[in-house]
Amino acid sequence: MNAMVVTQFGGPDFLEYKDVETPKIKGNQVLIKVKATSVNFADVKKRNGTYPGKIQLPFIPGLEASGIVVAVGDNVKNLNVDQKVIALPDDGSYAEYIAVDENLTFPIPESMCLEKAAAFPIVAFASYSLLNDIARIKKGESVLIHAAGGGVGTTAIQFAKLFGSNKIIASVGSDHKTDIVKEVGADYVINHTEENFSQKILEMTEGKGVDVILDSLGGEMLKENMKCLAPFGRLIYFGNANGQKASLDIDQLYPSNRAVIGFSFGKYRSLRPDKVREIAKQVISYMENDLISIVVTKKFPLKEAPAAHEWIESRNSIGKVLLIP
């Protein structure tokens, strides 16, 4: 089969389109013919060697895919050949075929478009978890979402609206993302590269600050976040796209009952797969009933994955980017 392979860490050019062996499934796995996969920023960080933890070279990047089951292992009980599924493989998804554990493979309705399906697992599962399970957002609370024009950002805005947030503030890095974040439900948009966003948010909230902040940027943004996090507020830190170190004075927390919480959907996937199944069931229902819609703005053939990575790294991308084998 054909796949994109990273043989050494570096730029997009280090993604190589190669003929590799089709994976062999274990007893608890299914073999899926990939119809579409997507690019996540974690793929970029793994490719350039900045992703946390040790990464063994060579590897196939990619966290999610949609496709058709073409073979099932002897111990698989709830999946069948020819079934339409989404999946979270351990060994990458930039490939024509993937082997995936049954407990991380989820059937989708026959009526659901497979390209559409490839766009939502990571961003929708993560957004749902961030707001419902980690932040425990309540109806009437306000929320600030950084990197709001990206896949998680545009999806989290919709979940915040669905869960009853009364004020959704989107933080973007460039003005051309303003229209899309408003279109999916943001009440206010701030360009954090041009404005003092913490001061602006305090003005918007009459000095109270916001109840929930979702931050995948990290670094020096932490200080600004703390300036506008309301008493009893929760700051969820789930990425470090800025690549900067940050420090927190814990004395900023207990006097105002505020919390800073770390979150990694990757750890959910590896350590709590049963929880992921619960999340998947709920999210697929939302998708099927058009309560959540994933923003997809570009599609590339799989062999053009380097160009897709360049587009993601330009910070001009909006929503999700797909790769089609």
Side-chain angles (χ1 to χ4, degrees):
M1 70 171 186
N2 292 312
M4 296 302 308
V5 181
V6 177
T7 56
Q8 56 182 310
F9 299 122
D13 290 344
F14 286 92
L15 284 164
E16 299 180 38
Y17 191 60
K18 301 180 70 172
D19 184 14
V20 301
E21 185 178 355
T22 301
K24 295 179 174 59
I25 57 173
K26 301 174 183 176
N28 65 330
Q29 292 184 320
V30 296
L31 184 67
I32 299 168
K33 181 174 177 56
V34 175
K35 294 298 183 181
T37 181
S38 74
V39 181
N40 291 282
F41 198 71
D43 303 341
V44 172
K45 293 179 78 68
K46 286 184 177 180
R47 188 211 71 224
N48 64 27
T50 60
Y51 194 80
K54 188 175 181 179
I55 301 173
Q56 188 72 39
L57 291 169
F59 70 91
I60 297 171
L63 300 174
E64 60 191 335
S66 65
I68 306 293
V69 175
V70 295
V72 298
D74 294 339
N75 300 325
V76 172
K77 298 178 181 178
N78 300 308
L79 295 168
N80 304 302
V81 171
D82 294 331
Q83 198 164 21
K84 293 173 71 171
V85 295
I86 54 173
L88 305 175
D90 287 330
D91 297 321
S93 60
Y94 290 18
E96 293 179 318
Y97 292 89
I98 54 175
V100 191
D101 292 351
E102 179 183 18
N103 64 0
L104 290 173
T105 304
F106 313 101
I108 58 173
E110 282 295 319
S111 59
M112 187 175 288
C113 168
L114 281 166
E115 287 191 9
K116 175 182 176 181
F120 81 78
I122 295 297
V123 296
F125 293 2
S127 297
Y128 178 89
S129 303
L130 282 162
L131 288 165
N132 186 72
D133 301 332
I134 309 302
R136 298 183 182 181
I137 193 169
K138 301 178 183 67
K139 186 176 181 179
E141 287 191 316
S142 56
V143 60
L144 165 65
I145 300 171
H146 287 294
V152 172
T154 52
T155 309
I157 289 169
Q158 296 175 68
F159 272 114
K161 185 73 74 176
L162 189 65
F163 295 155
S165 173
N166 69 348
K167 186 172 292 183
I168 301 171
I169 304 169
S171 165
V172 297
S174 56
D175 290 335
H176 79 279
K177 300 180 180 182
T178 298
D179 288 344
I180 189 64
V181 297
K182 285 185 175 179
E183 185 178 317
V184 296
D187 299 305
Y188 304 94
V189 184
I190 297 174
N191 185 332
H192 66 78
T193 66
E194 297 179 357
E195 301 181 73
N196 184 328
F197 84 82
S198 58
Q199 181 179 330
K200 193 81 173 177
I201 287 167
L202 289 172
E203 293 172 3
M204 291 176 179
T205 58
E206 299 177 344
K208 298 175 184 177
V210 287
D211 300 302
V212 173
I213 300 177
L214 304 185
D215 182 16
S216 61
L217 299 178
E220 291 300 307
M221 193 67 75
L222 177 63
K223 293 179 181 178
E224 295 300 311
N225 285 332
M226 293 305 298
K227 292 177 183 177
C228 58
L229 183 63
F232 297 95
R234 290 86 69 203
L235 165 58
I236 317 301
Y237 177 60
F238 67 104
N240 186 23
N242 283 338
Q244 304 168 344
K245 293 290 186 182
S247 59
L248 174 69
D249 180 356
I250 61 171
D251 287 342
Q252 293 180 282
L253 301 179
Y254 74 84
S256 54
N257 295 284
R258 297 183 296 177
V260 176
I261 308 169
F263 173 77
S264 164
F265 183 73
K267 285 298 181 184
Y268 253 42
R269 183 177 65 176
S270 61
L271 300 180
R272 296 185 177 180
D274 290 343
K275 181 64 178 175
V276 175
R277 294 199 70 80
E278 294 176 20
I279 294 166
K281 182 178 180 180
Q282 187 63 64
V283 168
I284 290 170
S285 174
Y286 287 141
M287 294 292 300
E288 185 178 12
N289 291 289
D290 296 322
L291 295 173
I292 298 293
S293 177
I294 308 302
V295 176
V296 177
T297 55
K298 278 189 178 291
K299 302 175 188 177
F300 294 83
L302 178 61
K303 62 183 178 182
E304 294 180 16
H309 275 228
E310 287 178 3
W311 178 242
I312 291 284
E313 289 183 276
S314 74
R315 303 299 177 101
N316 289 316
S317 64
I318 296 173
K320 292 288 288 184
V321 173
L322 297 183
L323 297 173
I324 313 298

